[in-house]
Amino acid sequence: MQPYLDVFTRVVDAYLSTPRPVIQTPHINQLASQLDLELHEKGADLATLEDCLQAYLQHNPDSSQVGFFKQLYAGRNGPAVIGDWIASLSNVNMHIYQVGPVATLMEQEVIKQWCTLVGYKQGDGMIVSGGSQANLIAMMLARHKICPTLKTQGADGRRLRAYVSDQAHYSSQKAANILGLGTDNLIGVASDDQGRLCPQALSTQIQADLALGYQPFYLGLTAGTTVTGAFDPVQAGRQIADQYDLWLHIDGAWGAPVLFSPQHRHLLQHAELSDSFSWDAHKLMGVPLTAAAILVKQAGLLPASCAGGGDDYLFHPDQYAHLNLGPASLQCGRRADALKVWLSWKSLGHQGFAEKVDKLQALKDYCVKRIDTTADLHRLAPAPYLNILFQFKPANIDDEATLTALNTAICQTMAHNGGPFVDYASHKGRSGIRLILANDMTAQEDIDHFLNQCIDTGTALLTDFI
Ligand SMILES: Cc1ncc(COP(=O)(O)O)c(C=O)c1O
């Protein structure tokens, strides 16, 4: 191990001490030729491995930098990175307590804390690979509630329907596919001009579906939508869920951390009215991918829906049986992701995450003000959270197709030039630059610099578009 550790130390030291652009990935044609990717009959020496690791780090974007605005994660959470490395070093498995005793207890603690933040008094949960798996499990729990025999006997011919807003993350479509619902039976209900699910449209849709013989069973709200950061109305969702006997899930993959902040938790008030909740630690909490949780209001439903098999060799009926997390999981082998979540939480406390939310929200307010008071910038949606969707829009251009092409080109050109690295997205038929604030090392000067670069790049590109 020691020679590898020496390589590791040198590579990490060099990476952490060398400044670099946020992105310097060459075009795919050059990238492939610059990497030594081919695997051979004989193994490579240490010097080759070191070169490969350096190339890996050099040509991947650096998501720890303030110029990384592209995805719903950014920055570096030091204790979580260490936790991730130590989890690999120890390499325990989360299916049975005996092979991962400390990690199991850590997972129980973080699940307990997350449940408390959501407001679940008797809840439980499970660390999963991401919001997508959490949303899948939520839909599966909902289906198990109305069709408990489906687990063993298969579908009984009922035509089930699930509802999310038209702004919901695409993982719900994947869930409808995986669960055999059919993606046509996941209905994207209209959202209002703020991007929030419209309760009236939901009721109308459900009534129409009932008249056609469908069985509504699931309502998935989003807390922090992917493009504009909208928060769906929980209380209204609960009322409709009660009226039609629907499972109420909240996808808080992105927005859940507002619950840490006394100042901002109002964005997600009444979270406790939900039946289940998705929370990604690998988004705003800054924990390295992957780490997320499915939280369930009523303890015991996860094993009821997920358990099956493994009793012949793995889940022994011994004194540890009640501590085995495996039966309540969809996985067999499962990494000790709990460690990195727990370690960063231990290090930062609730307060550290609350401060991060508050700081980034203040930065978002600053950025919104700058956009709203700058002549050639135009915001496309309200920004209740840390997503800001806007266009570079000179006064003489009104055509949306041109603006879409121009703003896409701005993002691509800036990335080509080494940053800032930001994405584009569309909302309600209009397309713009989607700025995500997830790195709390970002300062107001970085926002000024970013917006100036958008304007300068857009201005330089203008002749290609008019
Ligand atoms: C609102 C929302 N839910 C779920 C997901 C999926 O989460 P994951 O990528 O962790 O599977 C995302 C990802 O961006 C998201 O924005």
Side-chain angles (χ1 to χ4, degrees):
M1 186 69 189
Q2 189 56 47
Y4 298 106
L5 217 47
D6 294 341
V7 168
F8 172 81
T9 308
R10 278 198 299 277
V11 169
V12 171
D13 282 350
Y15 186 65
L16 293 180
S17 60
T18 315
R20 74 189 65 81
V22 61
I23 172 165
Q24 51 184 346
T25 315
H27 186 271
I28 174 74
N29 298 337
Q30 292 134 38
L31 179 62
S33 66
Q34 284 179 26
L35 300 173
D36 175 7
L37 292 175
E38 211 170 291
L39 301 173
H40 303 284
E41 188 64 28
K42 282 199 165 173
D45 58 18
L46 280 176
T48 306
L49 299 187
E50 189 164 339
D51 288 348
C52 293
L53 288 175
Q54 268 158 357
Y56 179 91
L57 289 170
Q58 184 189 340
H59 295 312
N60 273 334
D62 181 355
S63 63
S64 75
Q65 292 195 33
V66 291
F68 186 90
F69 298 116
K70 189 172 169 71
Q71 303 288 303
L72 306 182
Y73 63 89
R76 185 172 290 128
N77 175 337
V81 173
I82 302 298
D84 201 55
W85 289 342
I86 298 292
S88 291
L89 186 67
S90 164
N91 199 28
V92 303
N93 204 325
M94 299 303 293
H95 47 22
I96 57 168
Y97 170 80
Q98 273 178 293
V99 297
V102 186
T104 299
L105 297 180
M106 284 175 170
E107 176 154 339
Q108 287 180 337
E109 174 63 14
V110 294
I111 293 291
K112 186 182 87 187
Q113 294 291 343
W114 267 324
C115 281
T116 304
L117 285 168
V118 172
Y120 293 163
K121 294 197 170 71
Q122 312 286 332
D124 68 4
M126 177 72 52
I127 292 191
V128 294
S129 59
S132 301
Q133 192 190 142
N135 291 342
L136 167 69
I137 293 173
M139 205 181 277
M140 186 176 160
L141 293 175
R143 192 182 61 173
H144 186 75
K145 185 181 163 213
I146 56 148
C147 308
T149 57
L150 189 145
K151 178 179 172 182
T152 50
Q153 295 168 17
D156 60 6
R158 274 189 267 184
R159 296 158 70 209
L160 302 179
R161 282 232 145 145
Y163 304 85
V164 292
S165 92
D166 59 10
Q167 303 296 309
H169 187 258
Y170 69 85
S171 49
S172 295
Q173 276 188 50
K174 302 259 182 195
N177 175 7
I178 296 165
L179 294 175
L181 230 68
T183 51
D184 288 352
N185 290 313
L186 176 79
I187 308 298
V189 175
S191 53
D192 64 14
D193 55 357
Q194 313 236 348
R196 300 171 301 195
L197 180 136
C198 183
Q200 186 52 50
L202 174 64
S203 295
T204 307
Q205 178 72 47
I206 292 175
Q207 280 159 18
D209 288 347
L210 284 169
L212 291 171
Y214 289 104
Q215 179 164 2
F217 77 107
Y218 174 89
L219 171 57
L221 302 180
T222 308
T225 56
T226 312
V227 175
T228 67
F231 286 74
D232 287 337
V234 178
Q235 221 169 7
R238 181 73 261 173
Q239 274 167 11
I240 294 172
D242 285 344
Q243 191 177 351
Y244 297 104
D245 197 20
L246 314 179
W247 181 276
L248 181 67
H249 177 66
I250 297 179
D251 175 2
W254 170 227
V258 298
L259 293 173
F260 281 113
S261 161
Q263 200 187 333
H264 291 102
R265 62 174 302 140
H266 65 89
L267 285 167
L268 194 32
Q269 64 179 332
H270 306 303
E272 73 285 354
L273 299 179
S274 59
D275 297 303
S276 57
F277 194 100
S278 302
W279 190 317
D280 271 14
H282 63 218
K283 289 194 165 69
L284 197 72
M285 288 174 76
V287 172
L289 291 142
T290 65
I294 174 70
L295 307 170
V296 187
K297 184 179 207 157
Q298 186 184 328
L301 295 183
L302 271 175
S305 174
C306 300
D311 301 342
D312 50 340
Y313 81 104
L314 186 63
F315 303 123
H316 304 301
D318 56 20
Q319 71 269 38
Y320 306 114
H322 66 291
L323 291 164
N324 294 339
L325 300 181
S329 168
L330 291 183
Q331 297 167 238
C332 176
R334 194 163 60 93
R335 200 168 180 272
D337 292 324
L339 173 58
K340 57 189 172 185
V341 180
W342 181 91
L343 199 69
S344 61
W345 205 328
K346 185 80 172 169
S347 165
L348 296 170
H350 292 42
Q351 199 184 349
F353 291 115
E355 283 166 4
K356 179 173 187 177
V357 169
D358 295 348
K359 182 173 173 202
L360 286 170
Q361 283 282 44
L363 197 66
K364 181 263 307 198
D365 291 341
Y366 173 80
C367 183
V368 163
K369 203 162 156 196
R370 281 269 347 246
I371 291 172
D372 291 352
T373 53
T374 301
D376 286 344
L377 299 180
H378 174 66
R379 205 145 50 81
L380 295 182
Y385 191 44
L386 303 172
N387 317 38
I388 307 166
L389 187 67
F390 69 98
Q391 285 177 336
F392 170 67
K393 184 185 175 308
N396 55 340
I397 307 185
D398 282 317
D399 174 57
E400 284 301 328
T402 306
L403 287 168
T404 298
L406 173 59
N407 282 275
T408 304
I410 292 173
C411 297
Q412 289 168 342
T413 305
M414 291 194 305
H416 181 75
N417 294 338
F421 197 23
V422 67
D423 214 350
Y424 47 90
S426 59
H427 175 67
K428 310 247 170 208
R430 301 179 76 189
S431 205
I433 299 168
R434 185 195 67 162
L435 171 66
I436 296 293
L437 297 176
N439 182 350
D440 59 351
M441 299 300 282
T442 315
Q444 289 187 353
E445 303 84 79
D446 300 312
I447 297 296
D448 294 341
H449 179 67
F450 168 75
L451 294 177
N452 289 340
Q453 280 197 271
C454 290
I455 294 169
D456 292 349
T457 310
T459 307
L461 288 168
L462 262 184
T463 48
D464 297 342
F465 290 89
I466 47 177

